[in-house]
Amino acid sequence: QKTGHRGIILHPLHKSTTPDSFVGRKEELKFIENQMTGPQPTSVNIVGPHKIGKSSLLWRFYQLRKLPINYSSPYAVIYLSFQDGECQEENSFYQKIAQELSKVPIIQTKPSLVTAFQAPDWTRSTFAKAIRLCEAQKILPVLCIDKFEALFQESYREKFDEGFYDNLHSLINNSVMMLVLISIEPLDFYRS
């Protein structure tokens, strides 16, 4: 079920008996794809309770988009999880994004981006400049982020302050980056 233009609420599906197969969710995959490829990219929040297939849906979308058929695709799609120990502080989060983006074929064809994503120190400013450089090269970074609600736990609040969210919001609003986030509750719930 789609909520507005920015969210997907997942409901249970019958599970496949084969762990490597992916069944259903074609409408949801198409919805995310349309948000990415439309005239203005719109970030998506995939919402639902534990064990309903949110992570599988996000992983499938990433798998379908990570290796484009041609290297001129304007989308640089990467996957991250806040369960990953490398994403638990703001600067290491930016560094992990840079590492993953530097592996994307379209990024590797642009020397200025290769250099930008090899910066030794990652701050909010370094990150914003690198993402804006992608825009100058007509590339849209699409960050698929699993377990986003982890950021709203007490242990993360000091490490990811309001400036962090303001920076992400600015990049999204200027259509230089897109997020596909997974959370148990809609993001508006966490805002309070």
Side-chain angles (χ1 to χ4, degrees), residues 3-163:
T3 59
H5 295 283
R6 296 186 168 218
I8 299 173
I9 298 176
L10 290 187
H11 298 285
L13 284 179
H14 295 290
K15 298 209 180 222
S16 169
T17 55
T18 310
D20 291 335
S21 66
F22 185 85
V23 177
R25 305 288 191 212
K26 289 179 184 175
E27 284 185 40
E28 290 86 350
L29 285 168
K30 186 167 181 63
F31 177 78
I32 299 168
E33 181 84 16
N34 289 342
Q35 299 310 301
M36 181 178 77
T37 60
Q40 181 173 356
T42 305
S43 292
V44 175
N45 182 203
I46 302 170
V47 178
H50 289 292
K51 304 289 183 191
I52 201 161
K54 299 181 305 295
S55 294
S56 295
L57 174 63
L58 184 67
W59 183 254
R60 180 65 175 168
F61 173 74
Y62 164 69
Q63 290 293 312
L64 291 171
R65 293 303 307 198
K66 76 174 186 173
L67 293 175
I69 294 170
N70 68 56
Y71 284 78
S72 64
S73 170
Y75 307 105
V77 181
I78 64 167
Y79 175 90
L80 304 166
S81 174
F82 273 102
Q83 282 188 322
D84 185 344
E86 295 176 288
C87 293
Q88 296 182 352
E89 292 185 0
E90 184 176 356
N91 293 354
S92 62
F93 171 67
Y94 297 141
Q95 184 170 16
K96 181 67 175 173
I97 291 171
Q99 289 171 354
E100 294 303 313
L101 283 173
S102 68
K103 297 175 188 174
V104 177
I106 188 66
I107 299 288
Q108 293 174 345
T109 66
K110 310 286 185 187
S112 62
L113 293 178
V114 170
T115 301
F117 287 118
Q118 292 175 344
D121 296 311
W122 283 92
T123 63
R124 198 174 290 162
S125 175
T126 309
F127 175 70
K129 286 177 187 172
I131 296 298
R132 285 194 169 91
L133 187 57
C134 288
E135 178 192 29
Q137 298 284 335
K138 301 191 183 321
I139 296 171
L140 178 70
V142 179
L143 314 184
C144 299
I145 304 178
D146 202 351
K147 311 292 189 254
F148 195 74
E149 73 272 355
L151 286 180
F152 306 108
Q153 296 172 2
E154 194 67 39
S155 59
Y156 281 88
R157 287 189 188 152
E158 291 177 15
K159 298 173 184 176
F160 294 88
D161 62 15
E162 285 188 37

